[in-house]
Short mmCIF file of all heavy atoms in Angstrom, two decimals:
data_model
loop_
_atom_site.label_atom_id
_atom_site.label_comp_id
_atom_site.label_asym_id
_atom_site.label_seq_id
_atom_site.Cartn_x
_atom_site.Cartn_y
_atom_site.Cartn_z
N MET A 30 -51.29 -5.81 -2.62
CA MET A 30 -49.78 -5.90 -2.76
C MET A 30 -49.39 -7.23 -3.33
O MET A 30 -50.17 -8.20 -3.20
CB MET A 30 -49.22 -5.70 -1.34
CG MET A 30 -49.51 -6.95 -0.38
SD MET A 30 -48.49 -6.96 0.98
CE MET A 30 -49.10 -8.50 1.75
N TYR A 31 -48.13 -7.28 -3.91
CA TYR A 31 -47.72 -8.55 -4.38
C TYR A 31 -47.13 -9.37 -3.24
O TYR A 31 -46.36 -8.83 -2.51
CB TYR A 31 -46.58 -8.37 -5.45
CG TYR A 31 -47.16 -8.04 -6.82
CD1 TYR A 31 -46.72 -6.94 -7.50
CD2 TYR A 31 -48.04 -8.88 -7.43
CE1 TYR A 31 -47.20 -6.64 -8.82
CE2 TYR A 31 -48.55 -8.61 -8.66
CZ TYR A 31 -48.13 -7.51 -9.39
OH TYR A 31 -48.66 -7.31 -10.64
N VAL A 32 -47.61 -10.54 -3.15
CA VAL A 32 -46.99 -11.49 -2.21
C VAL A 32 -45.79 -12.18 -2.90
O VAL A 32 -44.78 -12.29 -2.26
CB VAL A 32 -48.03 -12.55 -1.78
CG1 VAL A 32 -47.38 -13.59 -0.92
CG2 VAL A 32 -49.13 -11.86 -1.00
N CYS A 33 -45.99 -12.56 -4.18
CA CYS A 33 -44.99 -13.21 -4.91
C CYS A 33 -44.66 -12.40 -6.15
O CYS A 33 -45.46 -12.22 -7.06
CB CYS A 33 -45.49 -14.59 -5.35
SG CYS A 33 -44.33 -15.48 -6.44
N VAL A 34 -43.44 -11.81 -6.10
CA VAL A 34 -43.03 -10.93 -7.12
C VAL A 34 -42.73 -11.75 -8.44
O VAL A 34 -43.10 -11.33 -9.56
CB VAL A 34 -41.78 -10.07 -6.76
CG1 VAL A 34 -41.30 -9.18 -7.89
CG2 VAL A 34 -42.18 -9.23 -5.55
N CYS A 35 -42.08 -12.88 -8.27
CA CYS A 35 -41.70 -13.68 -9.47
C CYS A 35 -42.96 -14.03 -10.28
O CYS A 35 -42.88 -13.98 -11.54
CB CYS A 35 -41.03 -14.97 -8.94
SG CYS A 35 -39.41 -14.83 -8.14
N LYS A 36 -44.02 -14.45 -9.61
CA LYS A 36 -45.18 -14.91 -10.31
C LYS A 36 -46.27 -13.90 -10.35
O LYS A 36 -47.34 -14.18 -10.82
CB LYS A 36 -45.66 -16.23 -9.77
CG LYS A 36 -44.71 -17.37 -9.83
CD LYS A 36 -44.54 -17.74 -11.33
CE LYS A 36 -43.59 -18.92 -11.49
NZ LYS A 36 -43.53 -19.38 -12.90
N LYS A 37 -45.97 -12.70 -9.78
CA LYS A 37 -47.01 -11.60 -9.81
C LYS A 37 -48.34 -12.04 -9.19
O LYS A 37 -49.40 -11.87 -9.80
CB LYS A 37 -47.17 -11.02 -11.22
CG LYS A 37 -45.88 -10.35 -11.75
CD LYS A 37 -46.19 -9.61 -13.04
CE LYS A 37 -44.96 -8.77 -13.52
NZ LYS A 37 -43.68 -9.48 -13.42
N VAL A 38 -48.22 -12.65 -8.01
CA VAL A 38 -49.40 -13.03 -7.31
C VAL A 38 -49.68 -12.15 -6.19
O VAL A 38 -48.74 -11.90 -5.30
CB VAL A 38 -49.23 -14.50 -6.75
CG1 VAL A 38 -50.45 -14.92 -5.97
CG2 VAL A 38 -48.97 -15.46 -7.96
N SER A 39 -50.83 -11.53 -6.10
CA SER A 39 -51.14 -10.54 -5.09
C SER A 39 -51.92 -11.19 -3.92
O SER A 39 -52.43 -12.34 -4.09
CB SER A 39 -52.06 -9.44 -5.63
OG SER A 39 -53.25 -9.97 -6.07
N ASP A 40 -52.06 -10.51 -2.78
CA ASP A 40 -52.88 -11.02 -1.70
C ASP A 40 -54.28 -11.16 -2.15
O ASP A 40 -55.03 -12.05 -1.71
CB ASP A 40 -52.72 -10.10 -0.42
CG ASP A 40 -52.97 -8.65 -0.74
OD1 ASP A 40 -53.08 -8.28 -1.88
OD2 ASP A 40 -53.16 -7.92 0.30
N ARG A 41 -54.73 -10.35 -3.01
CA ARG A 41 -56.19 -10.38 -3.50
C ARG A 41 -56.35 -11.62 -4.34
O ARG A 41 -57.45 -12.26 -4.30
CB ARG A 41 -56.50 -9.19 -4.36
CG ARG A 41 -56.56 -7.95 -3.51
CD ARG A 41 -56.90 -6.74 -4.29
NE ARG A 41 -58.29 -6.31 -4.03
CZ ARG A 41 -58.96 -5.38 -4.67
NH1 ARG A 41 -58.36 -4.73 -5.65
NH2 ARG A 41 -60.17 -5.11 -4.32
N ALA A 42 -55.33 -11.94 -5.10
CA ALA A 42 -55.47 -13.22 -5.95
C ALA A 42 -55.52 -14.45 -5.06
O ALA A 42 -56.31 -15.39 -5.33
CB ALA A 42 -54.23 -13.29 -6.90
N ILE A 43 -54.77 -14.43 -3.98
CA ILE A 43 -54.80 -15.55 -3.00
C ILE A 43 -56.19 -15.59 -2.38
O ILE A 43 -56.76 -16.72 -2.27
CB ILE A 43 -53.68 -15.39 -1.94
CG1 ILE A 43 -52.30 -15.60 -2.66
CG2 ILE A 43 -53.83 -16.42 -0.83
CD1 ILE A 43 -51.04 -15.40 -1.79
N ALA A 44 -56.69 -14.42 -1.95
CA ALA A 44 -58.02 -14.44 -1.30
C ALA A 44 -59.09 -15.00 -2.26
O ALA A 44 -59.97 -15.70 -1.91
CB ALA A 44 -58.42 -13.02 -0.89
N LYS A 45 -58.87 -14.63 -3.53
CA LYS A 45 -59.81 -15.10 -4.55
C LYS A 45 -59.75 -16.68 -4.75
O LYS A 45 -60.82 -17.30 -4.88
CB LYS A 45 -59.56 -14.42 -5.88
CG LYS A 45 -60.71 -13.98 -6.69
CD LYS A 45 -60.30 -13.17 -7.90
CE LYS A 45 -61.51 -12.99 -8.83
NZ LYS A 45 -61.05 -12.34 -10.10
N ALA A 46 -58.57 -17.15 -4.70
CA ALA A 46 -58.37 -18.58 -4.90
C ALA A 46 -59.02 -19.29 -3.71
O ALA A 46 -59.65 -20.41 -3.90
CB ALA A 46 -56.94 -18.91 -4.99
N VAL A 47 -58.84 -18.79 -2.46
CA VAL A 47 -59.47 -19.40 -1.30
C VAL A 47 -61.00 -19.31 -1.43
O VAL A 47 -61.71 -20.24 -1.15
CB VAL A 47 -58.89 -18.75 0.02
CG1 VAL A 47 -59.68 -19.22 1.20
CG2 VAL A 47 -57.38 -19.05 0.21
N ALA A 48 -61.49 -18.18 -1.83
CA ALA A 48 -62.97 -18.01 -1.97
C ALA A 48 -63.47 -18.93 -3.03
O ALA A 48 -64.56 -19.41 -2.93
CB ALA A 48 -63.23 -16.51 -2.36
N GLY A 49 -62.59 -19.30 -3.99
CA GLY A 49 -63.00 -20.23 -5.08
C GLY A 49 -62.81 -21.68 -4.67
O GLY A 49 -63.08 -22.60 -5.50
N GLY A 50 -62.37 -21.93 -3.44
CA GLY A 50 -62.38 -23.29 -2.97
C GLY A 50 -61.04 -23.87 -2.58
O GLY A 50 -60.95 -24.98 -2.08
N ALA A 51 -59.91 -23.17 -2.82
CA ALA A 51 -58.59 -23.62 -2.42
C ALA A 51 -58.59 -23.73 -0.89
O ALA A 51 -59.02 -22.84 -0.21
CB ALA A 51 -57.52 -22.72 -2.93
N ARG A 52 -58.08 -24.87 -0.35
CA ARG A 52 -58.13 -25.05 1.11
C ARG A 52 -56.80 -25.38 1.77
O ARG A 52 -56.74 -25.81 2.84
CB ARG A 52 -59.13 -26.20 1.38
CG ARG A 52 -60.57 -25.76 1.47
CD ARG A 52 -60.75 -24.76 2.61
NE ARG A 52 -62.04 -24.07 2.55
CZ ARG A 52 -62.19 -22.87 2.08
NH1 ARG A 52 -61.13 -22.22 1.59
NH2 ARG A 52 -63.29 -22.23 2.10
N SER A 53 -55.72 -25.16 0.98
CA SER A 53 -54.41 -25.32 1.61
C SER A 53 -53.38 -24.46 0.78
O SER A 53 -53.67 -24.07 -0.34
CB SER A 53 -54.07 -26.79 1.54
OG SER A 53 -53.87 -27.20 0.19
N PHE A 54 -52.26 -24.30 1.42
CA PHE A 54 -51.16 -23.60 0.73
C PHE A 54 -50.79 -24.29 -0.59
O PHE A 54 -50.66 -23.66 -1.62
CB PHE A 54 -49.89 -23.54 1.59
CG PHE A 54 -48.73 -22.98 0.93
CD1 PHE A 54 -48.67 -21.59 0.63
CD2 PHE A 54 -47.67 -23.72 0.55
CE1 PHE A 54 -47.61 -21.05 -0.11
CE2 PHE A 54 -46.57 -23.25 -0.16
CZ PHE A 54 -46.55 -21.83 -0.40
N ARG A 55 -50.77 -25.59 -0.53
CA ARG A 55 -50.39 -26.40 -1.72
C ARG A 55 -51.41 -26.09 -2.85
O ARG A 55 -51.03 -26.00 -4.01
CB ARG A 55 -50.39 -27.86 -1.35
CG ARG A 55 -49.97 -28.77 -2.55
CD ARG A 55 -49.84 -30.20 -2.18
NE ARG A 55 -48.68 -30.41 -1.29
CZ ARG A 55 -48.20 -31.57 -1.08
NH1 ARG A 55 -48.76 -32.69 -1.56
NH2 ARG A 55 -47.06 -31.71 -0.31
N GLU A 56 -52.74 -26.16 -2.49
CA GLU A 56 -53.73 -25.89 -3.53
C GLU A 56 -53.63 -24.56 -4.16
O GLU A 56 -53.78 -24.35 -5.35
CB GLU A 56 -55.13 -26.11 -2.90
CG GLU A 56 -55.52 -27.59 -2.71
CD GLU A 56 -56.90 -27.77 -2.17
OE1 GLU A 56 -57.74 -26.94 -2.23
OE2 GLU A 56 -57.10 -28.90 -1.56
N VAL A 57 -53.33 -23.53 -3.32
CA VAL A 57 -53.19 -22.18 -3.80
C VAL A 57 -51.89 -22.15 -4.67
O VAL A 57 -51.90 -21.53 -5.79
CB VAL A 57 -53.11 -21.14 -2.67
CG1 VAL A 57 -52.79 -19.76 -3.21
CG2 VAL A 57 -54.43 -21.11 -1.90
N ARG A 58 -50.87 -22.71 -4.31
CA ARG A 58 -49.60 -22.79 -5.04
C ARG A 58 -49.83 -23.44 -6.35
O ARG A 58 -49.43 -22.93 -7.43
CB ARG A 58 -48.56 -23.55 -4.26
CG ARG A 58 -47.19 -23.44 -4.94
CD ARG A 58 -46.25 -24.43 -4.25
NE ARG A 58 -46.70 -25.79 -4.38
CZ ARG A 58 -46.24 -26.81 -3.73
NH1 ARG A 58 -45.35 -26.63 -2.78
NH2 ARG A 58 -46.80 -27.98 -3.85
N ASP A 59 -50.50 -24.59 -6.41
CA ASP A 59 -50.76 -25.28 -7.62
C ASP A 59 -51.64 -24.45 -8.53
O ASP A 59 -51.46 -24.44 -9.83
CB ASP A 59 -51.42 -26.61 -7.37
CG ASP A 59 -50.54 -27.57 -6.71
OD1 ASP A 59 -49.32 -27.28 -6.67
OD2 ASP A 59 -50.99 -28.60 -6.32
N GLU A 60 -52.55 -23.74 -7.99
CA GLU A 60 -53.47 -22.92 -8.84
C GLU A 60 -52.80 -21.60 -9.39
O GLU A 60 -53.04 -21.27 -10.58
CB GLU A 60 -54.71 -22.57 -8.05
CG GLU A 60 -55.81 -21.90 -8.78
CD GLU A 60 -57.06 -21.66 -7.98
OE1 GLU A 60 -57.38 -22.51 -7.07
OE2 GLU A 60 -57.74 -20.62 -8.24
N LEU A 61 -52.11 -20.93 -8.50
CA LEU A 61 -51.58 -19.63 -8.89
C LEU A 61 -50.10 -19.54 -9.28
O LEU A 61 -49.54 -18.65 -9.92
CB LEU A 61 -51.82 -18.59 -7.81
CG LEU A 61 -53.26 -18.39 -7.33
CD1 LEU A 61 -53.29 -17.38 -6.16
CD2 LEU A 61 -54.15 -17.89 -8.48
N GLY A 62 -49.37 -20.66 -8.89
CA GLY A 62 -47.89 -20.64 -9.17
C GLY A 62 -47.13 -19.84 -8.13
O GLY A 62 -45.87 -19.71 -8.28
N VAL A 63 -47.84 -19.42 -7.08
CA VAL A 63 -47.09 -18.61 -6.05
C VAL A 63 -46.02 -19.49 -5.40
O VAL A 63 -46.20 -20.72 -5.18
CB VAL A 63 -48.16 -18.09 -4.97
CG1 VAL A 63 -48.90 -19.23 -4.36
CG2 VAL A 63 -47.46 -17.24 -3.95
N SER A 64 -44.88 -18.93 -5.18
CA SER A 64 -43.79 -19.67 -4.44
C SER A 64 -43.18 -20.76 -5.26
O SER A 64 -42.74 -21.71 -4.70
CB SER A 64 -44.33 -20.13 -3.10
OG SER A 64 -43.30 -20.72 -2.40
N THR A 65 -43.21 -20.69 -6.58
CA THR A 65 -42.64 -21.78 -7.30
C THR A 65 -41.38 -21.40 -8.13
O THR A 65 -40.82 -22.12 -8.85
CB THR A 65 -43.70 -22.24 -8.43
OG1 THR A 65 -44.13 -21.15 -9.22
CG2 THR A 65 -44.95 -22.92 -7.78
N GLN A 66 -40.85 -20.17 -7.80
CA GLN A 66 -39.62 -19.79 -8.43
C GLN A 66 -38.51 -19.57 -7.44
O GLN A 66 -37.82 -20.53 -7.10
CB GLN A 66 -39.88 -18.49 -9.33
CG GLN A 66 -38.89 -18.42 -10.44
CD GLN A 66 -39.32 -17.49 -11.54
OE1 GLN A 66 -40.46 -17.41 -11.86
NE2 GLN A 66 -38.39 -16.64 -12.00
N CYS A 67 -38.31 -18.37 -6.93
CA CYS A 67 -37.19 -18.22 -6.02
C CYS A 67 -37.39 -18.67 -4.61
O CYS A 67 -36.50 -18.96 -3.88
CB CYS A 67 -36.75 -16.70 -5.98
SG CYS A 67 -37.87 -15.63 -5.01
N GLY A 68 -38.69 -18.72 -4.22
CA GLY A 68 -39.13 -19.27 -2.92
C GLY A 68 -39.01 -18.21 -1.78
O GLY A 68 -39.36 -18.61 -0.68
N LYS A 69 -38.59 -16.97 -2.05
CA LYS A 69 -38.48 -16.02 -0.96
C LYS A 69 -39.83 -15.64 -0.40
O LYS A 69 -39.90 -15.13 0.74
CB LYS A 69 -37.81 -14.75 -1.51
CG LYS A 69 -36.24 -14.88 -1.70
CD LYS A 69 -35.68 -13.58 -2.09
CE LYS A 69 -34.26 -13.79 -2.40
NZ LYS A 69 -33.61 -12.75 -3.23
N CYS A 70 -40.88 -15.81 -1.11
CA CYS A 70 -42.22 -15.42 -0.64
C CYS A 70 -42.92 -16.49 0.13
O CYS A 70 -44.04 -16.32 0.63
CB CYS A 70 -43.04 -15.06 -1.85
SG CYS A 70 -43.23 -16.48 -2.98
N THR A 71 -42.27 -17.65 0.29
CA THR A 71 -43.03 -18.80 0.83
C THR A 71 -43.61 -18.53 2.21
O THR A 71 -44.83 -18.85 2.43
CB THR A 71 -42.07 -20.08 0.89
OG1 THR A 71 -41.63 -20.33 -0.38
CG2 THR A 71 -42.85 -21.25 1.32
N SER A 72 -42.84 -17.98 3.17
CA SER A 72 -43.46 -17.84 4.49
C SER A 72 -44.54 -16.79 4.49
O SER A 72 -45.61 -16.94 5.11
CB SER A 72 -42.42 -17.45 5.58
OG SER A 72 -41.77 -16.26 5.28
N LEU A 73 -44.38 -15.68 3.71
CA LEU A 73 -45.50 -14.72 3.60
C LEU A 73 -46.69 -15.31 2.90
O LEU A 73 -47.84 -15.16 3.35
CB LEU A 73 -44.98 -13.50 2.86
CG LEU A 73 -46.06 -12.42 2.56
CD1 LEU A 73 -46.66 -11.87 3.89
CD2 LEU A 73 -45.47 -11.25 1.81
N ALA A 74 -46.42 -16.06 1.84
CA ALA A 74 -47.60 -16.70 1.13
C ALA A 74 -48.31 -17.65 2.02
O ALA A 74 -49.57 -17.66 2.03
CB ALA A 74 -47.04 -17.38 -0.16
N ARG A 75 -47.60 -18.38 2.79
CA ARG A 75 -48.26 -19.34 3.75
C ARG A 75 -49.16 -18.60 4.77
O ARG A 75 -50.27 -19.03 5.03
CB ARG A 75 -47.25 -20.17 4.57
CG ARG A 75 -46.64 -21.30 3.74
CD ARG A 75 -45.78 -22.19 4.58
NE ARG A 75 -45.13 -23.20 3.83
CZ ARG A 75 -45.69 -24.35 3.56
NH1 ARG A 75 -46.88 -24.62 3.95
NH2 ARG A 75 -45.01 -25.25 2.84
N GLU A 76 -48.59 -17.51 5.22
CA GLU A 76 -49.31 -16.65 6.19
C GLU A 76 -50.63 -16.12 5.59
O GLU A 76 -51.64 -16.17 6.15
CB GLU A 76 -48.39 -15.51 6.59
CG GLU A 76 -48.59 -15.04 8.06
CD GLU A 76 -47.48 -13.98 8.28
OE1 GLU A 76 -46.37 -14.41 8.52
OE2 GLU A 76 -47.84 -12.81 8.37
N VAL A 77 -50.49 -15.55 4.36
CA VAL A 77 -51.66 -14.99 3.69
C VAL A 77 -52.70 -16.12 3.42
O VAL A 77 -53.85 -15.85 3.65
CB VAL A 77 -51.25 -14.23 2.42
CG1 VAL A 77 -52.45 -13.78 1.64
CG2 VAL A 77 -50.29 -13.06 2.67
N VAL A 78 -52.27 -17.19 3.00
CA VAL A 78 -53.17 -18.30 2.71
C VAL A 78 -53.89 -18.71 4.02
O VAL A 78 -55.16 -18.72 4.04
CB VAL A 78 -52.47 -19.52 2.09
CG1 VAL A 78 -53.43 -20.75 2.07
CG2 VAL A 78 -52.02 -19.27 0.66
N SER A 79 -53.16 -18.84 5.14
CA SER A 79 -53.90 -19.28 6.28
C SER A 79 -54.79 -18.23 6.84
O SER A 79 -55.90 -18.50 7.35
CB SER A 79 -52.97 -19.89 7.37
OG SER A 79 -51.94 -18.99 7.72
N ASP A 80 -54.42 -16.93 6.76
CA ASP A 80 -55.29 -15.88 7.15
C ASP A 80 -56.60 -15.92 6.38
O ASP A 80 -57.63 -15.73 6.88
CB ASP A 80 -54.66 -14.50 6.91
CG ASP A 80 -53.55 -14.21 8.00
OD1 ASP A 80 -53.46 -15.03 8.97
OD2 ASP A 80 -52.84 -13.19 7.85
N CYS A 81 -56.46 -16.11 5.06
CA CYS A 81 -57.64 -16.10 4.16
C CYS A 81 -58.52 -17.36 4.49
O CYS A 81 -59.76 -17.20 4.54
CB CYS A 81 -57.19 -16.20 2.70
SG CYS A 81 -56.51 -14.72 2.06
N ILE A 82 -57.91 -18.50 4.77
CA ILE A 82 -58.73 -19.64 5.13
C ILE A 82 -59.45 -19.49 6.45
O ILE A 82 -60.61 -19.72 6.58
CB ILE A 82 -57.86 -20.96 5.16
CG1 ILE A 82 -57.37 -21.29 3.70
CG2 ILE A 82 -58.55 -22.09 5.79
CD1 ILE A 82 -56.32 -22.38 3.65
N GLU A 83 -58.66 -18.89 7.43
CA GLU A 83 -59.37 -18.54 8.74
C GLU A 83 -60.51 -17.62 8.64
O GLU A 83 -61.52 -17.71 9.32
CB GLU A 83 -58.34 -18.03 9.69
CG GLU A 83 -57.52 -19.03 10.44
CD GLU A 83 -56.34 -18.46 11.19
OE1 GLU A 83 -56.41 -17.25 11.70
OE2 GLU A 83 -55.32 -19.14 11.30
N ALA A 84 -60.29 -16.62 7.73
CA ALA A 84 -61.38 -15.61 7.57
C ALA A 84 -62.54 -16.08 6.77
O ALA A 84 -63.62 -15.41 6.69
CB ALA A 84 -60.78 -14.33 6.91
N SER A 85 -62.43 -17.23 6.11
CA SER A 85 -63.47 -17.64 5.19
C SER A 85 -64.55 -18.53 5.95
O SER A 85 -64.38 -18.96 7.06
CB SER A 85 -62.90 -18.46 4.06
OG SER A 85 -62.37 -19.66 4.51
FE1 FES B 128 -42.42 -15.84 -5.08
FE2 FES B 128 -40.00 -15.61 -5.98
S1 FES B 128 -41.20 -14.12 -4.98
S2 FES B 128 -41.21 -17.39 -6.00
#
């Protein structure tokens, strides 16, 4: 599913970024551009990032 509609970032893309070494919301945001437009996805994106980090 899309976490960030503006930037078309999916939960899978976030999981991939974490698997590739991203270790914080900021790092994922800088890499994928998630949450850099309207901002409505920020809390969900943070949640998905921390779930992925915890699971890794
Ligand atoms: Fe992510 Fe708009 S939905 S910035």
